[in-house]
Amino acid sequence: MPLDPKEFGKRMKQIRESQQITQEEAAKAIGLSRPSIAQIESGIRSISTMQLEKLARLYSRDISDFFEPSHIDNMRAPAVFYRRTLELKQSINQKTV
């Protein structure tokens, strides 16, 4: 299933921000304007394969990272579930003691 341009842009932004790189720095590194990076991250504008490859190198990432769900997103739900389960067990144990 093709990736929605808005979702693709969201992932690009997450990766850029995780590397603490500004839109201006990213734009300069690949030869675009800062508004162009903002448009790509908003899903309004597409990005060329060459530009994507340059960004992947700049961000020290594999190109596939732009197309896969964030590892943080994948880990958040189980962590919340685990924490809530522990809280529930503690609550039950306190009531039975």
Side-chain angles (χ1 to χ4, degrees):
M1 180 157 118
L3 187 61
D4 178 290
K6 289 188 185 286
E7 182 63 28
F8 177 77
K10 179 181 171 186
R11 291 178 189 172
M12 284 194 57
K13 182 177 180 179
Q14 288 174 335
I15 291 170
R16 178 182 56 75
E17 289 177 342
S18 76
Q19 297 298 313
Q20 298 179 340
I21 294 173
T22 65
Q23 287 182 340
E24 188 70 38
E25 292 167 331
K28 188 175 181 181
I30 67 169
L32 290 176
S33 66
R34 191 213 50 81
S36 294
I37 295 293
Q39 290 173 344
I40 292 167
E41 290 180 353
S42 298
I44 297 169
R45 179 181 173 149
S46 62
I47 186 170
S48 74
T49 305
M50 294 296 289
Q51 292 165 337
L52 184 59
E53 188 175 315
K54 288 178 184 179
L55 282 179
R57 273 188 263 138
L58 176 66
Y59 302 156
S60 301
R61 295 295 188 103
D62 191 270
I63 288 178
S64 66
D65 291 345
F66 294 106
F67 299 96
E68 296 173 354
S70 166
H71 298 293
I72 294 168
D73 290 342
N74 289 341
M75 294 172 65
R76 186 171 292 142
V80 169
F81 177 76
Y82 178 74
R83 187 175 64 243
R84 294 289 183 210
T85 302
L86 285 177
E87 290 170 0
L88 181 61
K89 285 181 182 178
Q90 290 171 349
S91 175
I92 291 170
N93 287 339
Q94 289 175 352
K95 290 178 182 176
T96 59
V97 173

